């Protein structure tokens, strides 16, 4: 057993050392001549090389010689960002659509918001169209399903959507943000 281990180690060492012996030696450097880059292009068969200047710093024409006009900023154009507001339900007048979504109006006492919805703190009425609704409530009227008939004032509400904004440093005259709610979540009030 010990002999096998010794032979195995010796064979592995011989295999690893063999390729190192077979490597060719390094060519001696031409000392004193220096190695500076060549001034002639190394790839004259490249189709793009004919449109380059001799210094290689300018485009002398041909396809793609015109500068692009992509330098215009999109910063001062309205864009959509996330909108999150939550609070307690004051009233609701929602109706269920044929596709399972809901439309109508919800009035909420907004207590918590993200940065983009902070202007809506306090009592706010939201007009909603084709909104997905999640009912995280118990079946309070015992009709076998949780729905609009189980909602009551004081239930917790979370509104999720998008709002259009402009960057702070852009001219705000004539701009009015548009809020689009896409999801509404109802939960029972927190037990005291």
């Amino acid at each position: 057993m010990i002999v096998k281990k010794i032979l195995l180690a010796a064979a592995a060492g011989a295999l690893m050392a063999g390729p190192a012996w077979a490597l060719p030696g390094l060519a001696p450097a031409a000392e004193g001549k220096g190695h500076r880059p060549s001034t002639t292009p190394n790839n004259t068969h490249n189709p793009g090389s004919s449109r380059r200047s001799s210094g290689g710093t300018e485009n002398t024409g041909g396809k793609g010689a015109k500068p692009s006009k992509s330098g215009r900023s999109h910063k001062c154009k309205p864009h959509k960002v996330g909108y999150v507001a939550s609070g307690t339900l004051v009233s609701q007048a929602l109706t269920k659509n044929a596709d399972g979504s809901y439309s109508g109006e919800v009035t909420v006492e907004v207590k918590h918001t993200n940065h983009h919805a902070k202007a809506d703190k306090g009592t706010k009425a939201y007009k909603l169209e084709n909104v997905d609704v999640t009912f995280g409530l118990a079946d309070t009227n015992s009709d076998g399903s949780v729905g609009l008939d189980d909602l009551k004032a004081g239930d917790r509400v979370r509104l999720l959507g998008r709002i259009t904004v402009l960057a702070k440093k852009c001219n705000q005259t004539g701009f009015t943000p548009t809020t689009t709610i896409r999801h509404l979540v109802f939960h029972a009030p927190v037990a005291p």
Side-chain angles (χ1 to χ4, degrees):
M1 185 70 175
I2 295 174
V3 174
K4 285 184 181 179
K5 285 184 182 180
I6 293 173
L7 285 176
L8 181 63
L15 286 174
M16 293 173 90
W21 293 333
L23 288 176
L26 295 176
E31 295 190 22
K33 292 186 178 180
H35 292 285
R36 57 186 170 164
S38 171
T39 57
T40 59
N42 60 356
N43 187 2
T44 57
H45 301 294
N46 182 354
S49 66
S50 64
R51 290 188 291 273
R52 253 184 253 125
S53 67
S54 60
T57 58
E58 299 174 16
N59 189 346
T60 59
K63 275 187 169 180
K66 296 178 184 176
S68 68
K69 299 200 181 206
S70 65
R72 295 188 181 127
S73 173
H74 297 226
K75 179 180 180 181
C76 289
K77 292 190 179 193
H79 58 278
K80 295 180 180 182
V81 294
Y83 178 95
V84 180
S86 61
T88 56
L89 179 67
V90 175
S91 65
Q92 60 90 15
L94 294 172
T95 56
K96 189 170 186 176
N97 300 330
D99 63 351
S101 63
Y102 290 83
S103 297
E105 188 172 312
V106 174
T107 304
V108 179
E109 177 68 33
V110 178
K111 296 179 180 177
H112 303 283
T113 65
N114 70 343
H115 174 74
H116 303 292
K118 69 181 175 182
D120 291 343
K121 282 195 175 182
T123 303
K124 172 128 170 103
Y126 294 93
K127 293 190 186 298
L128 310 173
E129 290 185 24
N130 301 322
V131 173
D132 293 327
V133 177
T134 301
F135 296 100
L137 303 164
D139 184 17
T140 57
N141 63 358
S142 301
D143 65 350
S145 67
V146 178
L148 291 173
D149 52 351
D150 295 312
L151 293 175
K152 63 183 182 301
D155 285 344
R156 293 181 293 152
V157 182
R158 174 166 288 192
L159 299 113
L160 305 168
R162 297 281 213 196
I163 186 169
T164 56
V165 296
L166 281 177
K168 286 183 199 177
K169 295 182 180 180
C170 297
N171 186 0
Q172 302 285 331
T173 56
F175 173 73
T176 52
T178 307
T179 305
T180 307
I181 303 298
R182 63 176 175 77
H183 197 104
L184 193 59
V185 181
F186 291 105
H187 288 286
V190 177

